Amino acid sequence: MIIMRHYIYSLQSEKDLEKITDDIYEQDMLESATSVVLELFSAGKHKDILQRLSDFLIEKYPELPVEAVFVTTSPVREDDDVDKTTLVMMILENSEVTDIGSKKFRSVSEAKQDPLSGVYTRTEIERVFVKLVEEAGVLNSALVLLDIDKLDQINVSLGHDAGDYVIRKTADIIKQILRDSDVIGRWESEKFMILLRDVDAESTTSVAERIREKIETEDFADVKDVTASFGATLITPGLSCEEIFEKADRALAMAKENGRNRFEML
């Protein structure tokens, strides 16, 4: 049986690297290990940390196969620390590095972020959505769908570069307003999914209206009169993901039918 143990460290200073090496010795973390995978996730210049830790393991445990992967990441939110560095150390027993295909980690990590808008991909935001639905009995959350109004007309009249610019800037506006606990992902071409934690109907409306007003008044350069429509619903215990999404989608359809550039909630 393959055993894999995960250790996650947030690296902020030289002392954090020392703590990792101390843990390895003091806790005999590698006593039964047959291989080790190191993954460093960083948007900054911390590749040297990965190299130093890798060199340390190779020197102290010469018979132990070590795989080191550096994954360049970008912050999901604009105000996130761009230099945040996270190290994941996976210690395997009864298996070699090649048994788990470590190269897959890079593609999985990069796939979490939509390359155009810089927010979560549909797959990743859906994963968070499912988790919030599962926690509905203990956490008050809401699902908000945002649809950029008439994006297809922008693409036709001004070109897809203009449309892409509107998508990117809209994502930036949303990220500026959301809290650290909120999550945003790109659901479809012009549609975003926003997940709000610890909210009720009133606070959900307030957040959505702030985003709507900001988009309406923002300068989008050569693209005039950019607006967005919103549909929302609270994540209610006892309802499935499909039922909750369908309610938010119906609210979004109502917003469009009632003239666009408005918020509706069911």
Side-chain angles (χ1 to χ4, degrees):
M1 180 179 66
I2 296 176
I3 298 174
M4 184 188 301
R5 290 177 280 129
H6 289 74
Y7 298 86
I8 301 175
Y9 297 89
S10 178
L11 302 181
Q12 298 176 346
S13 68
E14 199 71 22
K15 291 183 178 179
D16 294 318
L17 186 57
E18 295 174 6
K19 182 182 186 308
I20 298 173
T21 56
D22 289 343
D23 284 352
I24 290 173
Y25 276 132
E26 293 172 5
Q27 300 180 29
D28 291 329
M29 291 165 60
L30 303 180
E31 182 180 16
S32 56
T34 53
S35 57
V36 175
V37 178
L38 302 173
E39 288 184 295
L40 190 74
F41 298 83
S42 176
K45 301 176 181 178
H46 296 291
K47 204 168 186 176
D48 62 310
I49 294 178
L50 181 66
Q51 186 63 56
R52 287 163 57 194
L53 183 56
S54 178
D55 290 344
F56 165 80
L57 292 175
I58 292 171
E59 178 185 353
K60 301 299 182 182
Y61 304 90
E63 303 300 321
L64 187 66
V66 176
E67 174 82 3
V69 180
F70 181 78
V71 182
T72 302
T73 60
S74 300
V76 173
R77 291 171 47 84
E78 188 174 55
D79 56 356
D80 280 349
D81 182 1
V82 297
D83 210 26
K84 183 178 180 181
T85 300
T86 301
L87 175 79
V88 179
M89 179 165 58
M90 287 170 283
I91 300 174
L92 286 76
E93 300 178 16
N94 301 326
S95 66
E96 297 296 328
V97 172
T98 54
D99 292 340
I100 60 170
S102 62
K103 291 183 180 179
K104 293 180 181 178
F105 299 143
R106 182 182 301 274
S107 61
V108 168
S109 300
E110 292 176 347
K112 290 182 179 180
Q113 190 177 58
D114 174 53
L116 176 60
S117 62
V119 301
Y120 277 160
T121 60
R122 176 167 177 161
T123 300
E124 187 63 15
I125 192 68
E126 190 170 23
R127 181 190 64 78
V128 180
F129 175 46
V130 170
K131 189 172 186 299
L132 284 183
V133 172
E134 292 173 350
E135 297 173 348
V138 295
L139 182 67
N140 296 323
S141 303
L143 165 64
V144 181
L145 297 178
L146 179 159
D147 193 285
I148 301 172
D149 294 327
K150 301 181 180 179
L151 183 66
D152 55 342
Q153 294 183 19
I154 295 173
N155 287 328
V156 170
S157 60
L158 297 175
H160 284 277
D161 286 346
D164 289 349
Y165 167 72
V166 170
I167 290 171
R168 285 194 301 270
K169 189 153 188 175
T170 299
D172 289 340
I173 290 171
I174 299 168
K175 290 185 288 185
Q176 289 169 15
I177 293 175
L178 296 185
R179 306 161 300 171
D180 289 340
S181 58
D182 304 324
V183 186
I184 172 180
R186 188 174 174 207
W187 191 256
E188 292 173 354
S189 175
E190 70 279 7
K191 184 182 288 186
F192 292 90
M193 174 184 281
I194 302 169
L195 299 170
L196 305 176
R197 289 184 172 93
D198 192 24
V199 291
D200 55 16
E202 182 179 355
S203 53
T204 298
T205 302
S206 175
V207 172
E209 283 291 352
R210 285 176 60 202
I211 297 172
R212 187 194 63 78
E213 292 171 4
K214 179 66 174 172
I215 293 172
E216 182 183 24
T217 58
E218 187 71 12
D219 181 5
F220 281 82
D222 294 334
V223 187
K224 306 302 180 184
D225 302 322
V226 177
T227 60
S229 300
F230 297 75
T233 189
L234 296 179
I235 296 179
T236 308
L239 295 183
S240 67
C241 293
E242 293 75 14
E243 290 170 323
I244 294 169
F245 183 88
E246 192 271 338
K247 284 182 67 177
D249 208 33
R250 276 195 290 121
L252 177 60
M254 289 171 54
K256 292 180 179 181
E257 291 167 2
N258 291 332
R260 295 189 174 89
N261 188 27
R262 59 183 293 120
F263 169 83
E264 298 286 353
M265 187 169 188
L266 290 176

